Amino acid sequence: MAARKTTRKSSAKSNVSKDELLTYYKDMLLIRRFEEKAGQLYGMGLIGGFCHLYIGQEAVVVGLEAAAKEGDKRITSYRDHGHMLACGMDPKGVMAELTGREDGYSKGKGGSMHMFSKEKHFYGGHGIVGAQVPLGAGLAFSDRYRGNDNVTFTYFGDGAANQGQVYETFNMAALWKLPVVFVIENNQYAMGTAQARSTSTEDIHTRGVPFGIPGEIVDGMDVLAVKAAGEKAVAHCRAGEGPYILEVKTYRYRGHSMSDPAKYRTREEVQKMREERDPIERVRTMLLDGKHATEDDLKAVDKEIKEVVNASAEFAKESPEPALDELWTDIYAETAPQEA
Amino acid sequence: MATELLMPALSPTMEEGTLAKWLVKEGDTVSSGDILAEIETDKATMEFEAVDEGTIGKILVDEGTEGVKVNTPIAVILEEGEDASAADNVSSESSQAAEEPEEKPSAPAAAKPEAEAPTELMVDSSPDWPEGTEMVKSTVREALRDAMAEEMRNDENVFLMGEEVAEYQGAYKVSQGLLDEFGDKRVIDTPITEHGFTGIGVGAAFGGLRPIVEFMTFNFAMQAIDQIINSAAKTLYMSGGQMGAPIVFRGANGAAARVGAQHSHDYAAWYSQVPGLKVAMPYSAADAKGLLKSAIRDPNPVVFLENEILYGRSFEVPKLDDFTVPFGKAKIWREGEDVTLVSFGIGMQYALEAAEKLAEDGISAEVVDLRTLRPMDTASVIKSVMKTNRCVTVEEGFPVCSIGSYISSVLMQEAFDSLDAPVITCTGKDVPMPYAANLEKHALITTDEVIEAVKKVTYR
Ligand SMILES: Cc1ncc(C[n+]2csc(CCOP(=O)(O)OP(=O)(O)O)c2C)c(N)n1
Ligand SMILES: [Mg+2]
């Protein structure tokens, strides 16, 4: 990525260490490069169906994962590749699922929209807009039931925020003080519908107010701001105070899915975001300006990430298609998989 | 006039109870709302109140009596001025009610036709358009759009609502150009709120409009299925015919390509189960157009199942000012002697392909396209099977309780003597749709499976 001239104010929270900054930089870059590769493989016909890229939104999951601890859970929609990489799932397994191969996280049976990892407490990957919201509250319910202090990050979009089940969930989550952080990834569009054309209020997080759920707006292009907000929300949940809403303002650079002609916004709008607000560039500038890293250091990082991504793509191409017998497995369980 | 108090039913299922306690005694005057007794059922103890004023003339069932049948007289109430002797002389009306209910009305005339007596088949085999009509090529997508546009021009109460139908021109471009022609009053983008906008659509239909509700795909109509079934389909009946929902629910149904388990469901059998709904599932562009126009005019709720893969297919469509296809009329795509293939929607593709290949092997297949699943033109299927004596059904949905299962049961009940082989139902596999390309291919029905089934029923 070419260094850009734009100077921008570095984040208000300056007590961040060099190592931390570098980690966020790497994590975000991994997502970006991975998604670019996925887009490429889609173009080559190696990935099929619906494939929703996360490019532009990287700071959201990276910032929130920085606020999480072991045992916390996460659940999201079909736009899930970034969430999986950020919580530590293996890029190889994710990419192999995208190509529908045996070594994918769902043995090739789920695809881009439906991946899961018990080990990383990643509960999917859901194709029905809004459905993950009550599911996330249910995960939080299970933790509250057990009496531990885990938190569930429940991600959904600005479009999903209009689904009725979201508000049924807000009510119960508040009523039962469920430890759930509702993360509204407000990328301003639901497919071709700009937020103002679908949503009666300007802000979405304020819809928690009638239920007694606190919430706030977060700059989703600033990983440190996301992390700070995440920490606050998580502390609220762990203290037994119930749910918290973070409305994270972000932006997706690519189309809704690979087949979106994107006529609903101007190229200039996208370009402006990329140039002025890019979350990765922001951290890069901080690293360089703070003399935490040199151009050469960052070049080395870029190279390292590229290798990881290329290896995942190679792996995903080499991995065999699932055996035909797999068509008939995993329809019913002998033991609950959670207990196995 | 003295009246009997009857043992009350305190729940919909109560047949008898215990008269636990009398709170009044003979000679007491009571007025409405006074508690007379406590009655115990298997679920609870309930208080029994007086409805009328009067004097307790006689207690007929002592407290503590168990197993008192509902509607048994338990006391007699005297009106003002009556003396106790009236209690022996109670009105006959109430005592009649206490008797065993009347014999059930005699069973209705046997619904099943006698096996011997062949049912008269009402088959409409008139052509869909007059001979010599000019034909034009059109994709299914264009045909659907044209149907909506024509009906919107005809009737200003017709409007279209759904996700991305207006500015985006439809997620699958079915509503291309409609916003330009009809404006945003009649072509309405909704938020992603299927349950809500479906309910609003049904309410608008109650209010006299003619909504077309588009689901981006029918997978998302599961969010709204309560409104489709409980509100749209049942209201006419529940209101004794006063109110109903003339509305069309349309969108892509079934598998597309590689979109996985949550985006590939075929709902043909689901909706076809519901009385009050009509269900269409066209294959060709002409049927898509003619049936959608009929659906929009229909005074009932219609579920209109389209298919993403078929949207881009081209067919000949008659060039007529007002071309409609009636519901409940199957179409014979190909006449044949040896076997009847029954299908609908994208299943037709496999049926027609199989028929083509079977012809090369000297097997002549008749191909019947149901076009609408509810009402279903079973008469045409039976008529065909009476000729071929064999039947294979073809559909993409799951095998359990499929459309094919229903057809096979109809044939068994109404054309048993015509069958020379068991009906085979070719369906999708009994698994959620996998993503992997090779698995998806196996999950779907294939032309080869249809051919194999035909060979089996023709014993070749
Ligand atoms: C219930 C349901 N309705 C419609 C769709 C089709 N659809 C998929 S994504 C999408 C837009 C969602 O937008 P948003 O919630 O803002 O999330 P984003 O894609 O921006 O991440 C729509 C309409 C769906 N998958 N599920
Ligand atoms: Mg969005």
Side-chain angles (χ1 to χ4, degrees), chain A residues 78-79 127 129 157-160 163 187 189-190 256, chain B residues 163 194 216 220:
Chain A
Y78 45 82
R79 196 180 301 285
V129 167
D158 46 290
Q163 283 286 34
N187 60 11
Y189 293 91
H256 168 73
Chain B
E163 291 160 22
E194 287 83 1
M216 198 173 278
F220 316 139

Side-chain angles (χ1 to χ4, degrees), chain B residues 227-251:
Chain B
Q227 293 290 10
I228 298 173
I229 291 172
N230 268 326
S231 305
K234 299 179 182 170
T235 295
L236 181 73
Y237 194 80
M238 296 188 301
S239 68
Q242 295 176 74
M243 191 146 298
I247 186 171
V248 177
F249 304 106
R250 49 156 292 270

